């Protein structure tokens, strides 16, 4: 795991809250139908960030522990989710949650597992899960080549970002997931997801990413100018579309 994984989003939380996508309803339906999610469930949302998935689980009535090591992101979640009495914010990492043993029905990690140490968190998941508890790993995977705009956006990230190719969650492939689950018969589903942005939204969405040079960092002005040019070339009625495949991988760990 990168040394700065727990702090690298600290200076971009506001953009993260405003511009990161949520997850389509069928994600929660899958958790309900395949992993036994119910209002009686106790869920650990690991690397819960600003609480995007946490909110959807709380709206189902679950008790949810949002485990997040980044102070700024955790504070944003605590503010956003203060209305939910079944939410507990935990300052900890996925590899050492501090949660009681045998206390969790479902472990989820949304847009987060690629930051974890797989071996250490696997041991921790086994410790905190009830016997026969479930794990679900979820990502909004941006399509990179289905439209000229998305092709151009990907090219800009490769050209201007700091370490995009290194930290891209797509580095976690099915072979790595099979090693983590301890078997190759974990299940998966894919759903479509979409966001539409004006220019301010496009800029905010880009600079919510930890690999995009933020204001005051080398390359920020060049990336911002390139994004403006890209928007001018491809917007339709003042909007551009981000298309995603929302992928969910779910299964149990052998004891």
């Amino acid at each position: 795991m990168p040394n700065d994984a727990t702090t690298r989003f600290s200076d971009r939380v506001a953009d993260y809250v405003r511009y990161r996508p949520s997850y389509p309803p069928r994600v929660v339906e899958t958790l309900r139908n395949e992993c036994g999610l119910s209002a009686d469930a106790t869920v650990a949302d690991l690397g819960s960030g600003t609480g995007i998935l946490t909110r959807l689980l709380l709206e189902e009535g679950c008790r949810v522990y949002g485990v997040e090591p980044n102070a700024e992101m955790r504070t944003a979640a605590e503010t956003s989710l203060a209305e939910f009495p079944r939410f507990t914010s935990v300052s900890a990492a996925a590899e050492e949650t501090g949660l009681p043993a045998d206390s969790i029905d479902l472990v989820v990690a949304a847009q987060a597992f690629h930051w974890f140490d797989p071996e250490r968190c696997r041991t921790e998941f086994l410790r905190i899960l009830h016997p026969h508890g479930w794990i679900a790993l979820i990502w909004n995977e941006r399509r990179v080549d289905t439209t000229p705009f998305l092709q151009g956006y990907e090219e800009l990230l490769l050209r201007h970002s700091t370490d995009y190719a290194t930290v891209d969650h797509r580095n976690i492939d099915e072979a790595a997931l099979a090693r983590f689950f301890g078997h190759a018969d974990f299940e998966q589903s894919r759903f479509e997801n979409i966001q539409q942005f004006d220019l301010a939204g496009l800029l905010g969405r880009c600079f919510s990413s930890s690999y995009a040079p933020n204001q005051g960092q080398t390359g920020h002005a060049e990336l911002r100018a390139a994004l403006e040019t890209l928007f001018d070339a491809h917007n339709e009625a003042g909007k551009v579309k981000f298309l995603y495949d929302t992928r969910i991988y779910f299964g149990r760990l052998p004891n």
Side-chain angles (χ1 to χ4, degrees):
M1 184 171 61
N3 292 334
D4 64 345
T6 60
T7 59
R8 60 187 293 151
F9 289 96
S10 297
D11 61 350
R12 55 192 84 221
V13 170
D15 282 340
Y16 203 104
V17 169
R18 292 187 65 185
Y19 300 116
R20 283 301 181 102
S22 186
Y23 300 92
R26 291 182 66 188
V27 166
V28 174
E29 291 174 15
T30 299
L31 296 176
R32 191 187 305 125
N33 296 335
E34 303 293 341
C35 304
L37 183 73
S38 71
D40 296 326
T42 299
V43 183
D45 184 359
L46 305 186
S48 52
T50 60
I52 295 173
L53 180 64
T54 312
R55 173 176 291 277
L56 302 182
L57 298 167
L58 291 166
E59 289 172 347
E60 286 291 297
C62 307
R63 177 174 296 282
V64 184
Y65 292 92
V67 180
E68 173 54 52
N70 181 284
E72 290 79 8
M73 298 188 87
R74 191 174 62 251
T75 297
E78 291 166 355
T79 300
S80 172
L81 302 174
E83 65 188 279
F84 293 99
R86 290 172 66 81
F87 170 61
T88 301
S89 180
V90 179
S91 175
E95 297 84 357
E96 193 172 350
T97 66
L99 298 177
D102 190 24
S103 63
I104 301 299
D105 299 301
L106 171 66
V107 164
V108 297
Q111 220 70 25
F113 181 76
H114 54 293
W115 297 113
F116 300 168
D117 180 309
E119 292 302 319
R120 290 181 60 212
C121 73
R122 188 178 193 276
T123 299
E124 180 69 348
F125 293 5
L126 281 169
R127 187 187 71 80
I128 65 177
L129 277 168
H130 290 312
H132 310 299
W134 287 85
I135 296 169
L137 310 177
I138 304 163
W139 284 276
N140 278 316
E141 185 173 293
R142 175 175 41 80
R143 298 181 185 175
V144 299
D145 59 2
T146 53
T147 69
F149 164 71
L150 291 174
Q151 290 173 342
Y153 186 77
E154 180 74 1
E155 291 169 4
L156 291 186
L157 294 184
L158 291 169
R159 188 182 315 139
H160 293 284
S161 68
T162 53
D163 55 359
Y164 171 53
T166 302
V167 303
D168 187 356
H169 73 265
R170 285 169 294 190
N171 293 328
I172 303 291
D173 59 13
E174 291 194 16
L177 291 169
R179 288 193 298 272
F180 170 76
F181 278 106
H183 52 76
D185 59 351
F186 61 89
E187 299 183 70
Q188 59 180 291
S189 296
R190 179 185 65 83
F191 311 114
E192 294 183 352
N193 203 2
I194 185 171
Q195 288 180 295
Q196 296 190 71
F197 291 121
D198 59 13
L199 177 58
L202 170 61
L203 296 172
R205 174 63 182 85
C206 181
F207 291 113
S208 74
S209 300
S210 66
Y211 45 74
N214 216 345
Q215 189 167 4
Q217 297 176 336
T218 301
H220 174 82
E222 291 82 357
L223 177 54
R224 182 185 177 98
L227 287 166
E228 292 172 350
T229 299
L230 184 70
F231 181 86
D232 289 342
H234 296 292
N235 80 85
E236 297 181 7
K239 300 281 188 178
V240 291
K241 292 181 181 179
F242 273 57
L243 306 177
Y244 302 92
D245 292 312
T246 300
R247 298 186 183 274
I248 175 171
Y249 303 89
F250 55 96
R252 293 185 171 111
L253 294 178
N255 292 307

